[in-house]
Amino acid sequence: MADKCTYRLLGWLGRILLGIVLLLNMSGKAAYAAEEADHVLYRNETTGYEVYVYDQAQVLSELDAERLAEQMKELTQYGNAVFWSVQDNPLSVSGYAEAHYLNLYGDESGILVVLDLGKERAGVYSTGRIGRAFGARERERLASSLRRSIKNGSYAPSAQVIFSRALSAVEGEFMARVTKYACNALIALILAMLINFVAVNLSSRPQWTSDSELLEATLSYFDNTEPEVEFVTTVDHYKPNTGVQVLEQLNKNPFDMRRF
Amino acid sequence: MYECPNCNANLRFDIRTQNLLCDHCGTQMDPYAFQKERDAEEVQVQEEDYEVTVFTCPQCGGQLLSDDTTAATFCSFCGGSTILDSRISNQRRPAHIIPFQKTKEDCRKIYLKMMRRAPYAPTEMKREEYIARMRSIYIPYWVYTGEKNGRVKLSASKLARHGNHDVTQLYNIRTNLQAKYTGLAFDASEGFSDALSNAIAPFQWREARPFTPAYLSGFYADVDDVDPELYESDVSDIVGYELYKKIAEDPVCTKYTLGDVVEEMRPNKIKRELSMFPVWFLTYRNKDRVSYAVINGQTGKAAGDIPVDKGKYFLGSLLLAIPLFILLNLVISMQASTMLFLTGLLAGVCAFISVVQKKQLRAKEDYMDDKGSGRYLNLGKKEKTVLRKGARLDMTRAIALCLIMLWSIGMGIFSGSKQSAEMMQLFSLVVYSAVMLVGSHYVRVGGGRTEKPRIPLSIKDIATAIVKPAIGGGIAAIVLCVHPSWSLYYYVAAVAVTLLIGWDVMGIIDRHNLLTSRPLPQFNRRGGEEDGR
């Protein structure tokens, strides 16, 4: 009888504990979601893409943040735009940018610009449509070129340059792709013309008849007596191998470095 | 003019039966059995601008105008075949003749087979009415006999390595030689280019027959107007080198290294005689230029300078470009800078081709491929065939330049994904361009078996040849140097470069057409150049 009551009591305790844990978890997620929502400054109603600014290192003034956000809004036609600043981080800057973007938006189209104050570098990650237009090489090159600006404290302008360039790239992507196809077509045509020229050159010029072919058509006669070989003289030329030459030089004068 | 003994109609030599044949009554006669009775009477006429011989046709009395190079022709009035006996009498009488073996129908098939390898030739050249204009002409040839009799002494050596010593044993090899080569033939007509006559060689000398004018009946024939001594050095080269090879293959001589003994092996007697060889001619005229297709009337070997129709060429290139375009887009993935680098490579190729073509045109203007033209300029110092030192050095240089070029191309293409790839590609492009320019300088052109000299081009000639590819290469280099971050700049630059290259390729085709044609011959003019200069 006492045992039955104990088990019942323990069961209820377990249920209460589980409830508390669930409650805490949900409130944590809610807190995180709420925190995330704090950093989302804009959401494009048409595309669903967002402007996300997380100035952990507090490099932006209010005015800077507004201006930057306005610029980033234009990118939301094509993908998410994220600005992130950090004092220091153990990863590479670009690795850090990639990890955080994937954590936030997964494989959605977008761009994340991170300013790492500790390393005094910018890191850029882009994917999807923005990634196709604003590729890894261009990102690296741009980030490297802005290093001095970041070192001098021009954080907001540096970020603006990156977002502006990304926007130009994605808006000009169609033009770039068309030009690329046109270029491929012209290169293919030039290659075809050169290949055809080689074929024409080989087939359209008279071929030279060799002397042996000319001789085959003649009436010929050849005879010779057995050759007599007469020895004349022997010529001896001293010509040591390269290694032997060096050794001989060393033997003659080991301290003379001029020969080397 | 050969008249049938039965019906007095014109007798002509029939290729199929190899006899004189009367088309009217079918009478056949052995050419050697026929005795000709009447000549075409001649009168020399001299006008202010030209000198010409007037013949009177023995059949109809019509007047035939003929220059000094014709031995047989057809009357414009009655169509009768007329042999101008005075042209082939006494000193100019050929000793032998090889009669036509290939009929017009045979040659038509041979010509069409040759033209199948030329899909971009003008359409007119493949039309039946054009092919029907093929003419049979007996061309005069100088036929040489090279003889070598007597004892020859050759220097030889054996090399061995003993420790740090190179031991060379020198020998003299003596042997008695008896050698004779009869039938080495070179065309004796100034109007027939050596390049074409060599291309349809050889004629089988064993089928040559003693000459009789009856063989000329029904054909055109030219007389010789080339100095016979012109080709004696070629005969000496050919026979000398052949004897050298035969001696070198002797079992005794194979144990030794023979020295440069071709001089010792040259024939000590060279004889010559005039002969008539059969050639079918087809002429294609394009404005003031003419291209020839020729067929050996004995063996059927064909050759020709075939020009290119630019429209067909462009269309053919468009068709070939389709699979290449698919390959570039779907299979090959290139960075924008690598694509620009590739267009720079193509510009280099075009520049190389243009410079070589300029050299070939210069050689053609100097008649370097036509010793018998009368305008041949021997720019080479010596005429040797064996162990040309210059040729060996050229091969070494060519290999070295090719290796450098391949290295620069590989470096440029495979650096595409690396940092500072544009700088590497710019460096590769500069190295590659230098190799192409240097390589084109060392290319030797010019036909024949004489030592091909290096044709020096002026700076102006080189500049006009490479101006378009050079501008294209410059654009590629500048963009690679600036290395903008936006790929659109690279693509736009690549488009500009390829348009320039395409323009240059059209110029390359124009030069090719100049190389495959000649100025219209002016046989009746006296003085001045054949091209009107």
Side-chain angles (χ1 to χ4, degrees), chain B residues 68-90:
Chain B
D68 289 343
T69 58
T70 306
T73 185
F74 292 85
C75 175
S76 312
F77 302 99
C78 66
S81 172
T82 303
I83 292 153
L84 312 179
D85 262 1
S86 63
R87 298 275 164 76
I88 52 167
S89 61
N90 302 328

Side-chain angles (χ1 to χ4, degrees), chain B residues 239-271:
Chain B
V239 173
Y241 186 54
E242 178 67 10
L243 292 176
Y244 168 80
K245 275 197 310 184
K246 282 204 179 306
I247 289 292
E249 288 163 7
D250 187 288
V252 172
C253 297
T254 51
K255 298 173 196 161
Y256 304 89
T257 305
L258 294 182
D260 188 357
V261 292
V262 175
E263 291 298 322
E264 180 72 15
M265 306 302 282
R266 292 187 186 277
N268 41 21
K269 198 196 287 184
I270 296 179
K271 292 187 286 191

Side-chain angles (χ1 to χ4, degrees), chain A residues 137-138 141 165 183-184 193 196 209 211 219 221 223-225 228 230 232-233 235-237 239, chain B residues 120 151 161 164-166 168 170 172 174-176 178 180 182 198 313 329 339 416 422 449 485:
Chain A
R137 269 254 296 272
E138 289 178 66
R141 204 176 301 120
R165 189 68 63 85
C183 192
N184 276 341
M193 287 169 101
N196 271 337
T209 302
D211 291 349
L219 294 172
Y221 171 80
D223 190 24
N224 69 302
T225 57
E228 296 159 14
E230 175 198 347
V232 175
T233 185
V235 175
D236 191 329
H237 186 214
K239 200 175 174 187
Chain B
Y120 304 123
R151 199 164 174 77
R161 181 100 176 139
N164 288 320
H165 293 258
D166 280 346
T168 308
L170 300 177
N172 282 334
R174 290 186 176 81
T175 182
N176 282 321
Q178 300 277 332
K180 187 175 178 181
T182 305
N198 175 274
Y313 176 82
N329 270 326
M339 194 175 279
E422 290 80 6
R449 60 181 51 76
S485 57

Side-chain angles (χ1 to χ4, degrees), chain B residues 143-349:
Chain B
V143 180
Y144 297 85
T145 299
E147 286 184 54
K148 179 74 174 176
N149 297 307
R151 199 164 174 77
V152 295
K153 186 178 89 171
L154 313 171
S155 55
S157 61
K158 261 190 189 175
L159 177 65
R161 181 100 176 139
H162 297 301
N164 288 320
H165 293 258
D166 280 346
V167 178
T168 308
Q169 292 175 320
L170 300 177
Y171 299 87
N172 282 334
I173 298 179
R174 290 186 176 81
T175 182
N176 282 321
L177 268 186
Q178 300 277 332
K180 187 175 178 181
Y181 293 88
T182 305
L184 280 167
F186 296 87
D187 81 274
S189 172
E190 210 176 276
F192 189 29
S193 116
D194 284 1
L196 283 176
S197 70
N198 175 274
I200 60 169
F203 288 86
Q204 298 296 328
W205 181 245
R206 52 187 63 84
E207 293 177 19
R209 299 175 194 177
F211 177 78
T212 178
Y215 279 114
L216 304 183
S217 179
F219 303 99
Y220 290 93
D222 282 352
V223 294
D224 65 289
D225 53 0
V226 169
D227 181 2
E229 288 179 3
L230 197 61
Y231 297 111
E232 285 190 2
S233 57
D234 295 80
V235 173
S236 178
D237 283 348
I238 294 171
V239 173
Y241 186 54
E242 178 67 10
L243 292 176
Y244 168 80
K245 275 197 310 184
K246 282 204 179 306
I247 289 292
E249 288 163 7
D250 187 288
V252 172
C253 297
T254 51
K255 298 173 196 161
Y256 304 89
T257 305
L258 294 182
D260 188 357
V261 292
V262 175
E263 291 298 322
E264 180 72 15
M265 306 302 282
R266 292 187 186 277
N268 41 21
K269 198 196 287 184
I270 296 179
K271 292 187 286 191
R272 62 175 183 262
E273 64 176 58
L274 192 61
S275 296
M276 292 293 220
F277 287 179
V279 179
W280 286 94
F281 263 85
L282 194 53
T283 307
Y284 172 75
R285 185 173 164 179
N286 185 13
K287 294 177 190 168
D288 61 343
R289 309 281 298 183
V290 63
S291 301
Y292 297 109
V294 290
I295 300 175
N296 185 319
Q298 181 196 28
T299 61
K301 191 175 177 189
D305 289 325
I306 306 172
V308 165
D309 182 307
K310 278 160 87 167
K312 287 170 98 174
Y313 176 82
F314 189 69
L315 195 62
S317 301
L318 268 177
L319 289 172
L320 180 60
I322 293 169
L324 290 174
F325 176 71
I326 292 169
L327 199 71
L328 280 171
N329 270 326
L330 296 180
V331 179
I332 299 173
S333 174
M334 274 189 281
Q335 298 280 351
S337 61
T338 307
M339 194 175 279
L340 183 60
F341 174 72
L342 178 62
T343 59
L345 296 184
L346 293 175
V349 169

Side-chain angles (χ1 to χ4, degrees), chain B residues 1-2 11-13 18-20 29-37 39 71-72 81 83-85 88-89 92-100 138 207-221 273-277:
Chain B
M1 159 71 188
Y2 290 81
L11 279 172
R12 62 168 183 83
F13 181 81
Q18 293 286 294
N19 283 322
L20 289 175
M29 292 191 70
D30 180 5
Y32 292 103
F34 194 87
Q35 295 299 322
K36 195 164 71 69
E37 291 175 2
D39 284 336
S81 172
I83 292 153
L84 312 179
D85 262 1
I88 52 167
S89 61
R92 295 180 97 176
R93 186 182 177 85
H96 288 91
I97 186 168
I98 295 178
F100 273 91
Y138 276 105
E207 293 177 19
R209 299 175 194 177
F211 177 78
T212 178
Y215 279 114
L216 304 183
S217 179
F219 303 99
Y220 290 93
E273 64 176 58
L274 192 61
S275 296
M276 292 293 220
F277 287 179

Side-chain angles (χ1 to χ4, degrees), chain B residues 287-444:
Chain B
K287 294 177 190 168
D288 61 343
R289 309 281 298 183
V290 63
S291 301
Y292 297 109
V294 290
I295 300 175
N296 185 319
Q298 181 196 28
T299 61
K301 191 175 177 189
D305 289 325
I306 306 172
V308 165
D309 182 307
K310 278 160 87 167
K312 287 170 98 174
Y313 176 82
F314 189 69
L315 195 62
S317 301
L318 268 177
L319 289 172
L320 180 60
I322 293 169
L324 290 174
F325 176 71
I326 292 169
L327 199 71
L328 280 171
N329 270 326
L330 296 180
V331 179
I332 299 173
S333 174
M334 274 189 281
Q335 298 280 351
S337 61
T338 307
M339 194 175 279
L340 183 60
F341 174 72
L342 178 62
T343 59
L345 296 184
L346 293 175
V349 169
C350 288
F352 180 84
I353 294 173
S354 297
V355 170
V356 171
Q357 281 188 322
K358 276 274 186 177
K359 286 187 170 187
Q360 287 173 330
L361 279 170
R362 268 286 303 278
K364 202 177 172 83
E365 283 164 19
D366 292 339
Y367 290 85
M368 283 190 62
D369 62 344
D370 194 358
K371 210 171 176 180
S373 71
R375 292 179 183 76
Y376 176 67
L377 299 174
N378 188 0
L379 297 177
K381 292 198 176 87
K382 295 171 191 169
E383 292 180 4
K384 282 184 179 176
T385 53
V386 180
L387 299 176
R388 275 188 235 120
K389 193 178 171 194
R392 222 194 249 154
L393 279 178
D394 280 351
M395 184 57 73
T396 310
R397 269 200 207 105
I399 292 171
L401 289 172
C402 279
L403 287 172
I404 297 171
M405 187 177 71
L406 288 171
W407 169 79
S408 66
I409 292 172
M411 199 172 73
I413 289 177
F414 295 113
S415 69
S417 55
K418 294 193 177 79
Q419 290 280 15
S420 68
E422 290 80 6
M423 282 297 126
M424 288 173 74
Q425 284 166 346
L426 174 63
F427 175 70
S428 303
L429 197 58
V430 168
V431 168
Y432 169 84
S433 304
V435 164
M436 282 305 210
L437 265 177
V438 168
S440 65
H441 170 70
Y442 284 114
V443 164
R444 291 172 182 261

